[in-house]
C-alpha cells in the first residue's frame, strides 16, 4: 500500500488528469472497494504497508493503512517489506504493533510451541527477522474436518537491504527461517485428523499451503522466458544471495503458491518447479506504478471438496486480480492447484 500520511501524501505515476485530488485516500478507497466487491474471509498484506520515509508517525500511518481491514471485522495478517521501518518504529516494534491491532492475526515470530530449541519469554530467539509465523485454516464448521487444518498459510520476513561481498543488495530469507519453515510444515503435514469423525471413506490428503513474503527470490527472472499469466514489465529486484528458498519449498512439498510484493509493475504468476510465484501488482497510490495502468489487488480463492455427507478439504485454489477502474474489472483468472490433477 505504501501508505504515507493521508490527505497530504500525493500520488505517484498517475495520469495528469487524476493527480490534483489524488492522495493516500485513493488507496483507502480502493481497499474498501475490493472488500465490498469480493466479500473475502481473510486479507493478507505483503509488505511495504506504509512508506516510512513519507510519515513521521508510523503508528498513525498503520492505523490509516489498515483501517478498512479493521472496520470490516475480517481477520487479516501482514508481513513487512523493505520500507515499513523507515519512520518511527523498527521492524520488531512494527510487527508487535501490527499483531495487536483489531482483528489482526499477525504474529511477531513463532511461539515456543513451534520450536525445538529453548527460548526466552516464549518467543523464538534464534530466528532472523520479524513476522515469521503460520496460520491454519480449519475445515467448514460442522464438517468432519472442522477441527483440522485444510489449508496452511506461511508468512516470512524477507528483510530490507544488506551488503554481500561489499555490494549493496536486497535482503534474503535466512537459514534459520527456512529451518523453521521445514519443521512447521513437516509437523502440519503429519497432523492427525479428528479421530472421532474419521471413516474408512475419509481421504487423508495432506493440506496444501500458501506462502507470503515481500522480496522475490533470485530464480524469478527465469520467468521472463517462460509462459506466465499477467504482465512482466520491470526487472525482478531480488537479492544477489540465493539462500535456497525454492529448494526448501520444493522439498517440503505442501506449498502450492507464493505471493509477493516489491515490484509494482509486475502482476504475473509464473511456475517454478511446480510452485506458482505470483505478484499482486501495485496497490497503493503513493508507491511507484505506471500511469494509465490501474492499481490492482490479487484475489485467492480456496474451494472445498464436497463429500457425500460433509465438506472435505481444499479441492482447488484459484486466483485473479481486481483493477481499481470504473468497473472493478476482474482479469487473469487461473487455477493454481487442483487436487484432481495431482
Amino acid at each position: 500500500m505504501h501508505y504515507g500520511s493521508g490527505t497530504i501524501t500525493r500520488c505517484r505515476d498517475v495520469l495528469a488528469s487524476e493527480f490534483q485530488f489524488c492522495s493516500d485516500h485513493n488507496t483507502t478507497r480502493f481497499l474498501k472497494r475490493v472488500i465490498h466487491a469480493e466479500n473475502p474471509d481473510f486479507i493478507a498484506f505483503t509488505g511495504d504497508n506504509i512508506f516510512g520515509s513519507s510519515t513521521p508517525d508510523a503508528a498513525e500511518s498503520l492505523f490509516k493503512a489498515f483501517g478498512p481491514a479493521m472496520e470490516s471485522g475480517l481477520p487479516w495478517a501482514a508481513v513487512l517489506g523493505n520500507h515499513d521501518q523507515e519512520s518511527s518504529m523498527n521492524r520488531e516494534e512494527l510487527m508487535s504493533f501490527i499483531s495487536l491491532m483489531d482483528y489482526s492475526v499477525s504474529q511477531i515470530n513463532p511461539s515456543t510451541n513451534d520450536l525445538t530449541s529453548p527460548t526466552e519469554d516464549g518467543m523464538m530467539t534464534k530466528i532472523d527477522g520479524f513476522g515469521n509465523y503460520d496460520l491454519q485454516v480449519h475445515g467448514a464448521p460442522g464438517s468432519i474436518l472442522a477441527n483440522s487444518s485444510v489449508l496452511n498459510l506461511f508468512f516470512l520476513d524477507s528483510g530490507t537491504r544488506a551488503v554481500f561481498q561489499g555490494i549493496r543488495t536486497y535482503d534474503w530469507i535466512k537459514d534459520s527461517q527456512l529451518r523453521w519453515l521445514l519443521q512447521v510444515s513437516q509437523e502440519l503435514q503429519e497432523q492427525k485428523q479428528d479421530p472421532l469423525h474419521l471413516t474408512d471413506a475419509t481421504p487423508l490428503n495432506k493440506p496444501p499451503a500458501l506462502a507470503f513474503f515481500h522480496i522475490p527470490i533470485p530464480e524469478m527472472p527465469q520467468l521472463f522466458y517462460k509462459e506466465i499469466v499477467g504482465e512482466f514489465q520491470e526487472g525482478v529486484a531480488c537479492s544477489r544471495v540465493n539462500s535456497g528458498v525454492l529448494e526448501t519449498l520444493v522439498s517440503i512439498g505442501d506449498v502450492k503458491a507464493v505471493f509477493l510484493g516489491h515490484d509494482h509493475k509486475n502482476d504475473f504468476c509464473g511456475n517454478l518447479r511446480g510452485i506458482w510465484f505470483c505478484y499482486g501488482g501495485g496497490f497503493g497510490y503513493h508507491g511507484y506504478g505506471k500511469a494509465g495502468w490501474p492499481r490492482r489487488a490479487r484475489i485467492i480463492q480456496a474451494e472445498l471438496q464436497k463429500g457425500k455427507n460433509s465438506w472435505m478439504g481444499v479441492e482447488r485454489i484459484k486466483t485473479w486480480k481486481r483493477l481499481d477502474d470504473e468497473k472493478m474489472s476482474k482479469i487473469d483468472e487461473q487455477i493454481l492447484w487442483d487436487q484432481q490433477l495431482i
Side-chain angles (χ1 to χ4, degrees):
M1 292 187 289
H2 274 253
Y3 203 96
S5 296
T7 307
I8 62 173
T9 303
R10 305 313 302 270
C11 298
R12 293 180 60 186
D13 299 326
V14 295
L15 298 173
S17 59
E18 301 169 328
F19 181 77
Q20 184 177 1
F21 301 106
C22 191
S23 72
D24 278 334
H25 291 310
N26 290 65
T27 301
T28 298
R29 177 174 175 267
F30 182 28
L31 183 50
K32 289 180 177 179
R33 292 185 78 199
V34 173
I35 293 171
H36 178 75
E38 290 290 347
N39 189 27
D41 300 293
F42 175 74
I43 307 169
F45 296 94
T46 54
D48 284 357
N49 310 295
I50 62 174
F51 197 21
S53 59
S54 294
T55 174
D57 187 334
E60 182 181 2
S61 184
L62 288 169
F63 273 122
K64 290 178 178 178
F66 294 128
M70 292 189 288
E71 291 166 11
S72 73
L74 296 167
W76 59 274
V79 292
L80 300 178
N82 53 293
H83 288 296
D84 296 273
Q85 78 290 338
E86 294 170 350
S87 181
S88 57
M89 290 185 183
N90 63 34
R91 295 176 77 78
E92 183 175 10
E93 291 167 339
L94 284 164
M95 280 311 304
S96 177
F97 192 91
I98 290 170
S99 72
L100 296 172
M101 297 178 81
D102 289 349
Y103 301 104
S104 170
V105 291
S106 311
Q107 298 171 30
I108 308 171
N109 263 340
S111 67
T112 50
N113 294 335
D114 295 330
L115 305 163
T116 54
S117 58
T119 62
E120 299 173 8
D121 301 325
M123 192 65 63
M124 184 174 186
T125 56
K126 294 182 180 178
I127 189 168
D128 287 275
F130 299 96
N132 303 288
Y133 57 99
D134 69 285
L135 299 174
Q136 299 175 37
V137 182
H138 283 194
S143 73
I144 62 173
L145 296 177
N147 297 318
S148 303
S149 180
V150 297
L151 178 68
N152 297 314
L153 309 178
F154 301 130
F155 296 82
L156 292 159
D157 180 7
S158 55
T160 58
R161 284 187 175 271
V163 176
F164 178 71
Q165 297 180 345
I167 300 173
R168 280 178 58 81
T169 183
Y170 282 109
D171 221 331
W172 59 92
I173 294 171
K174 308 298 195 304
D175 287 346
S176 62
Q177 297 166 277
L178 296 178
R179 287 196 300 272
W180 165 77
L181 178 62
L182 198 64
Q183 178 185 319
V184 73
S185 170
Q186 185 175 359
E187 289 174 355
L188 289 169
Q189 291 186 64
E190 292 172 352
Q191 213 171 57
K192 298 293 187 290
Q193 293 171 322
D194 185 350
L196 296 177
H197 294 98
L198 286 180
T199 68
D200 293 339
T202 303
L204 295 173
N205 297 323
K206 295 176 180 178
L210 306 174
F212 300 84
F213 51 87
H214 185 71
I215 298 174
I217 62 172
E219 289 88 350
M220 286 196 66
Q222 299 171 18
L223 293 169
F224 187 79
Y225 305 100
K226 297 186 178 183
E227 185 175 347
I228 58 173
V229 179
E231 297 189 56
F232 197 140
Q233 300 183 116
E234 65 174 310
V236 174
C238 58
S239 178
R240 297 172 62 90
V241 177
N242 191 328
S243 61
V245 174
L246 181 58
E247 290 294 333
T248 300
L249 295 176
V250 170
S251 71
I252 61 180
D254 57 344
V255 174
K256 309 306 177 185
V258 175
F259 301 94
L260 310 145
H262 203 48
D263 300 327
H264 303 190
K265 291 189 284 186
N266 292 336
D267 73 344
F268 65 83
C269 283
N271 196 292
L272 292 168
R273 298 180 62 183
I275 301 170
W276 287 96
F277 287 79
C278 298
Y279 284 107
F283 186 96
Y285 279 82
H286 186 49
Y288 77 88
K290 183 179 177 182
W293 196 64
R295 283 354 190 233
R296 56 204 59 214
R298 181 167 293 282
I299 314 301
I300 307 161
Q301 178 172 286
E303 301 176 357
L304 295 180
Q305 180 181 357
K306 182 74 165 143
K308 186 175 182 181
N309 300 308
S310 174
W311 288 106
M312 307 298 290
V314 172
E315 180 179 47
R316 188 177 298 108
I317 300 172
K318 293 181 177 179
T319 187
W320 59 86
K321 286 162 293 193
R322 285 282 191 175
L323 308 186
D324 193 19
D325 57 13
E326 186 177 345
K327 298 179 180 179
M328 281 289 288
S329 300
K330 179 180 177 179
I331 64 168
D332 292 342
E333 183 171 355
Q334 66 179 110
I335 295 174
L336 297 174
W337 179 78
D338 192 319
Q339 175 68 43
Q340 305 302 320
L341 301 179
I342 294 177

